[in-house]
Amino acid sequence: MFPELNNLLNTTPDGPEQGKLTLLCDAKTDGSFLMHHFLSFYLKANCKVCFVALIQSFSHYNIVGQKLGVSLTAARERRQLVFLEGLKSAVDIFFRPQEEPHPLQFLREANTRNLQPLYEFVREALKPTDEEEAAWRCPVLLVDDLSVLLSLGVGAVAVLDFIHYCRATVCWERKGNIVALVHDSGDAEDEENDILLNGLSHQSHLILRAEGLATGFCKDVHGQLKILWRRPSQPTAPRDRSLTYQYKIQDKSVSFFAKGMSPAVL
Amino acid sequence: MTPSEGVGRGVESVLEMLESLLALGGMVLLRDSVEWEGRSLLKALIKKSALYGEQVHVLGCEVSEEEFREGFDSSINSRLVYHDLFRDPLNWSKTGEALPGGPLEALRALCGRTDPGPITVALDSLSWLLLHLPCTTLCQALHALSRQDPCPGKQVRVLGLLHEELHGPGPVRTLSSLAQAEVTLSGAMGQASAHILYRRPRQHPTHQTQWFSILPDFSLDLQGGPLLEPQPQPDPHTPPVDPTNHLTFNLRLSKKEREAKDSLALPFQFSSEKQQALLRPGPGQATSHIFYEPDTYDDLDQEDPDDDLDV
């Protein structure tokens, strides 16, 4: 996790907020560093994590996690982490008998109507068992990422329904959190992605948007991060606060600074 | 207008805004966006309806019942009936807890209710219904719902929350044509505003823009508008400066200067005098000489290397 980002978001691993949906989106840049942050954050916060990883392999996340101070292998062994490695199980599905339910069942069906098997997998993974009840703080679902589901033929409404059900189970019933990454294509051609992104934005409590700089690539400033707080839990809290920072990604950390205040420029 | 008069008129306008939205009957469409959310205004309208003594039925698709009831006191909550389409809208759990028939049946059941008294139906949200039901089916159900008995005892008022960005212009305009009042939420500089379009029967549509904020107990607070920067006033004591004073160049030419300018020969105009001057070197011009000291390794071949070309 990146301590500077924790300061900006006003969170600590000792007491994370519960029942929140955080939306990560990136436009014209790679926002996966945010996903790595939240993965290591929630593992350090002693939460039970279910990670639906459709983009990269387990070892990729493990290597980055080790730089950030968490070992995914150890977390998986002590049953803190349930890892769905999409790249591997997508191939497995074709070598199993069709009757057995598989979370990525939609890859096999001609008409992908819904993501119910994936939801059932998440619900099973984060189901409280007696001995674990005291061990972990709250369940967390991480999805990296949702845009790839659209590319695999799932409709935007089906993905929204999946997140809806996850929200009902993980956020409301179990008082856990969800973090999901969606790519923003930028131009208006991808209607399904826009519906997904806007639909999720309306449901989110926190939106982190990583954007490339409008002026192009830069060695010292890798992009801009917009933070938007929505739907405050207490009605007395200020509604809908928004902040913008620029950032630079280093080997083991990310440094944030106000716009135009990069140390390279000052 | 003194500040106190402004406040008095402001209070009137606040009451007018919510009341006039509710007085029309029929459907009120709230169009919101990610940046300017509309659920708080929906809850403010629900609170107003409940304070009138009406029963409010909420078709809740997007938030849980606890979250929706948050902020309402017990008198309002007792008048609120929450139809839960949040927990299991598509009947995936198959436990029988979900509303039978799904969202469409739930909507139609509200049309067919038999209990007396005016009710308000709040749809949170129309966007969710529009994504899961065909637009025509939804519009027919809404039309049936909002055009109930003409007798005043059984009036149904419909409040619908629509997230504009999720739909194309067709469905949005269709829904807006069903509405008697349409509120588009936006804002500037941290201040929310509502642009209201009233479609009163037998009258022209009227527009109104209102700046507001919603208090924690979901009552409305009128605002005058975003605070504008005070315009800098020009200082009346400094005289206006004439920019044509103290220039280092001429702005105008005198007659003699103009004649001299017109008679000047431009360097690239080729006249016969110029041609002769170039061809015949004048007495003052010396022809140029080239002095060349060859190096030891220089190859001085006087032959023309292109001689053997057969061109």
Side-chain angles (χ1 to χ4, degrees):
Chain A
M1 65 172 191
F2 308 124
E4 284 192 39
L5 186 54
N6 283 341
N7 291 338
L8 293 182
L9 297 176
N10 214 10
T11 56
T12 65
D14 302 323
E17 286 189 317
Q18 293 189 276
K20 301 288 176 206
L21 168 62
T22 301
L23 176 67
L24 310 175
C25 65
D26 57 15
K28 286 201 233 159
T29 189
D30 184 15
S32 54
F33 71 97
L34 294 169
M35 185 54 74
H36 293 295
H37 162 84
F38 280 104
L39 176 59
S40 54
F41 175 84
Y42 281 116
L43 284 175
K44 282 194 183 166
N46 225 16
C47 297
K48 178 101 189 270
V49 175
C50 173
F51 193 2
V52 176
L54 302 170
I55 296 292
Q56 301 279 7
S57 63
F58 178 81
S59 50
H60 172 91
Y61 293 103
N62 197 19
I63 291 171
V64 181
Q66 276 168 1
K67 287 190 191 174
L68 301 181
V70 290
S71 163
L72 297 195
T73 331
R76 193 162 59 170
E77 271 162 28
R78 62 173 182 259
R79 310 242 285 241
Q80 186 188 6
L81 172 67
V82 176
F83 197 95
L84 174 65
E85 192 169 350
L87 293 173
K88 212 162 67 162
S89 39
V91 179
D92 282 345
I93 194 178
F94 293 105
F95 298 111
R96 307 168 107 205
Q98 200 162 358
E99 299 79 35
E100 284 178 26
H102 190 278
L104 300 181
Q105 191 74 24
F106 63 91
L107 288 172
R108 224 179 156 155
E109 291 165 3
N111 297 331
T112 0
R113 250 169 270 119
N114 62 34
L115 290 171
Q116 189 175 353
L118 189 57
Y119 160 70
E120 301 287 348
F121 169 81
V122 170
R123 200 175 59 153
E124 269 308 304
L126 293 177
K127 198 161 65 166
T129 59
D130 288 327
E131 67 268 8
E132 287 178 356
E133 195 70 50
W136 313 121
R137 184 169 276 152
C138 64
V140 175
L141 168 66
L142 301 169
V143 187
D144 183 15
D145 60 49
L146 289 173
S147 298
V148 78
L149 291 172
L150 296 180
S151 315
L152 291 171
V154 185
V157 180
V159 181
L160 284 174
D161 286 339
F162 163 68
I163 291 289
H164 178 112
Y165 268 89
C166 289
R167 222 166 32 104
T169 307
V170 176
C171 290
W172 174 67
E173 200 179 309
R174 306 280 328 279
K175 306 282 180 288
N177 294 329
I178 301 182
V179 180
L181 175 67
V182 178
H183 296 296
D184 187 1
S185 52
D187 44 28
E189 288 171 13
D190 197 345
E191 283 179 18
E192 291 267 296
N193 201 38
D194 285 341
I195 292 176
L196 176 63
L197 183 60
N198 288 322
L200 275 181
S201 304
H202 276 282
Q203 297 178 26
S204 310
H205 297 93
L206 174 65
I207 303 179
L208 295 177
R209 193 184 158 87
E211 297 171 341
L213 294 177
T215 42
F217 292 115
C218 171
K219 191 178 67 146
D220 297 299
V221 179
H222 291 153
Q224 187 165 283
L225 183 70
K226 283 192 182 153
I227 309 174
L228 176 64
W229 282 272
R230 299 182 79 249
R231 294 172 59 181
S233 43
Q234 293 89 29
T236 49
R239 282 180 54 192
D240 295 7
R241 223 158 37 100
S242 136
L243 293 173
T244 307
Y245 291 94
Q246 290 179 340
Y247 61 87
K248 177 179 178 178
I249 302 178
Q250 286 139 352
D251 184 43
K252 290 191 183 181
S253 68
V254 176
S255 58
F256 292 89
F257 34 87
K259 284 206 291 198
M261 307 288 264
S262 160
V265 173
L266 293 174
Chain B
M1 183 162 64
T2 64
S4 57
E5 280 175 15
V7 165
R9 192 182 293 197
V11 168
E12 269 182 22
S13 307
V14 165
L15 295 177
E16 275 175 20
M17 174 174 158
L18 290 183
E19 279 179 0
S20 53
L21 281 174
L22 296 174
L24 276 180
M27 186 160 101
V28 178
L29 184 67
L30 300 177
R31 294 164 64 156
D32 74 349
S33 56
V34 173
E35 219 188 316
W36 302 100
E37 58 93 21
R39 190 166 287 118
S40 324
L41 185 59
L42 178 70
K43 286 171 85 164
L45 285 167
I46 287 174
K47 177 178 170 176
K48 196 79 187 168
S49 304
L51 288 176
Y52 284 156
E54 293 178 9
Q55 210 186 29
V56 182
H57 290 258
V58 181
L59 206 65
C61 317
E62 292 194 347
V63 297
S64 65
E65 188 170 350
E66 285 99 349
E67 194 180 330
F68 198 85
R69 286 184 186 273
E70 210 178 302
F72 288 145
D73 57 26
S74 53
S75 63
I76 298 174
N77 269 325
S78 60
R79 296 214 171 89
L80 202 71
V81 178
Y82 195 83
H83 301 264
D84 195 343
L85 277 176
F86 170 74
R87 232 160 6 126
D88 194 1
L90 306 172
N91 203 16
W92 282 1
S93 65
K94 299 212 177 0
T95 55
E97 282 179 5
L99 290 180
L104 187 57
E105 282 313 308
L107 197 54
R108 287 192 174 138
L110 287 172
C111 299
R113 59 160 195 116
T114 50
D115 47 301
I119 65 162
T120 298
V121 174
L123 301 171
D124 179 15
S125 64
L126 271 175
S127 285
W128 194 94
L129 293 170
L130 201 55
L131 287 177
H132 290 84
L133 299 171
C135 183
T136 46
T137 316
L138 178 62
C139 289
Q140 282 164 356
L142 284 176
H143 189 79
L145 189 60
S146 55
R147 291 268 303 235
Q148 288 263 291
D149 262 305
C151 58
K154 287 195 84 173
Q155 259 177 9
V156 177
R157 186 182 302 120
V158 180
L159 308 171
L161 179 63
L162 187 71
H163 306 307
E164 285 196 293
E165 308 109 321
L166 297 184
H167 313 286
V172 173
R173 284 206 208 112
T174 314
L175 284 173
S176 122
S177 68
L178 287 174
Q180 271 65 51
E182 197 177 314
V183 183
T184 306
L185 289 152
S186 64
M189 289 187 267
Q191 190 69 259
S193 75
H195 180 87
I196 311 173
L197 172 67
Y198 294 101
R199 288 200 189 86
R200 296 190 177 87
R202 293 183 295 282
Q203 285 181 31
H204 282 297
T206 50
H207 295 259
Q208 186 191 2
T209 302
Q210 201 85 285
W211 296 87
F212 68 96
S213 71
I214 298 194
L215 302 172
D217 65 346
F218 295 104
S219 50
L220 212 64
D221 182 26
L222 186 78
Q223 307 286 327
L227 290 172
L228 298 168
E229 295 275 311
Q231 304 293 331
Q233 301 293 329
D235 190 351
H237 296 297
T238 55
V241 176
D242 185 11
T244 58
N245 290 340
H246 311 301
L247 287 176
T248 54
F249 49 87
N250 269 342
L251 279 181
R252 280 166 278 276
L253 292 174
S254 71
K255 193 155 176 269
K256 230 168 82 172
E257 285 168 340
R258 196 183 298 279
E259 280 169 9
K261 179 182 164 200
D262 287 339
S263 60
L264 184 66
L266 292 174
F268 298 108
Q269 265 178 320
F270 205 55
S271 60
S272 56
E273 294 94 3
K274 220 173 185 173
Q275 190 181 22
Q276 295 305 313
L278 284 171
L279 285 177
R280 204 184 318 114
Q285 290 170 333
T287 54
S288 53
H289 289 280
I290 298 175
F291 297 98
Y292 178 57
E293 299 284 339
D295 292 334
T296 19
Y297 301 110
D298 255 339
D299 181 20
L300 281 178
D301 193 354
Q302 298 295 340
E303 278 179 10
D304 184 0
D306 293 331
D307 261 349
D308 58 352
L309 283 179
D310 209 2
V311 179

